[in-house]
Amino acid sequence: MYAGADAFRVQGGPVIDIQYSDIAFLSTGDGLGVNFLRGDHYRVGAAIAYDRGRLERTITPICAVMGDIRAAPVAKVFATYVLSKKFPLILRVVARQILGGADGTVGDAGVYMPLPGSSKKFVMFAGPRSRLRHIAICRAKYGVTPAQSLASGHPVFDPHAGMAAVGVGFSATRFITDHWLLNLDAASAS
């Protein structure tokens, strides 16, 4: 997928999410981290995760000569705040620094709220989100250098940093037992 693509992608697979007393975690989505500040309504932490990069052979034919971007470790900090139990609006911000590969900073912000029909065994959330990108990531992922232009026939393009996407997300989780669950996530961005 690339910015401006009109295709969608469906993926499936296991999600590993190991928590230790709301202090430390290991997760396929969030990496290895620690919540160093936590309370009834907030959590602030840091983690090490990864960026999968990009393999030239896996992108669409129109972008096939744009080159690989190496997978790289990612350092991130995050904060989550819940307004109250009576009005459980969740505010979440994440800043990630990719250390190699695309080598830049990405910031995400989202606001989520439980949907009607949620219960302790079945929870649904939805809400808007936005993403900001550093210039280095924009150039690595979306730019077209003079050499790439010659190879692909696309015009040279030097993207700028800033708002990369806005969209809406939806998540539904069904708890089967205390340790097993089924989860469905969907997102739209433009």
Side-chain angles (χ1 to χ4, degrees), residues 3-170:
D6 58 358
F8 64 91
R9 176 175 37 191
V10 175
Q11 293 179 308
V15 174
I16 298 169
D17 188 9
I18 301 168
Q19 304 276 330
Y20 174 72
S21 186
D22 199 31
I23 297 171
F25 57 87
L26 174 63
S27 166
T28 52
D30 290 323
L32 174 64
V34 63
N35 299 313
F36 52 82
L37 294 175
R38 57 195 179 285
D40 289 343
H41 298 289
Y42 65 91
R43 185 178 325 162
V44 178
I48 295 292
Y50 66 94
D51 179 70
R52 295 184 315 178
R54 176 182 75 200
L55 295 176
E56 187 175 278
R57 69 180 178 273
T58 63
I59 57 179
T60 62
I62 198 167
C63 297
V65 294
M66 296 305 176
D68 293 344
I69 298 174
R70 292 185 333 263
V74 176
K76 70 180 194 175
V77 293
F78 57 87
T80 303
Y81 182 76
V82 179
L83 286 176
S84 71
K85 284 186 179 183
K86 290 183 178 184
F87 190 66
L89 184 72
I90 300 167
L91 309 170
R92 180 162 171 86
V93 293
V94 179
R96 297 175 301 182
Q97 175 64 47
I98 300 174
L99 307 167
D103 198 27
T105 306
V106 177
D108 293 303
V111 179
Y112 304 97
M113 183 137 187
L115 297 175
S118 294
S119 67
K120 288 188 181 228
K121 290 282 188 181
F122 180 68
V123 181
M124 296 181 293
F125 284 90
R129 62 187 182 89
S130 64
R131 172 168 286 168
L132 300 170
R133 285 198 177 114
H134 181 266
I135 188 68
I137 289 179
C138 292
R139 285 183 178 149
K141 290 192 174 190
Y142 308 113
V144 179
T145 66
Q148 290 170 330
S149 176
L150 284 174
S152 68
H154 300 305
V156 172
F157 179 63
D158 186 19
H160 300 284
M163 185 70 68
V166 293
V168 64
F170 170 80

Side-chain angles (χ1 to χ4, degrees), residues 167-188:
V168 64
F170 170 80
S171 180
T173 303
R174 170 74 168 118
F175 292 92
I176 299 168
T177 70
D178 288 345
H179 300 288
W180 291 93
L181 58 86
L182 293 174
N183 179 255
L184 170 73
D185 292 322
S188 158

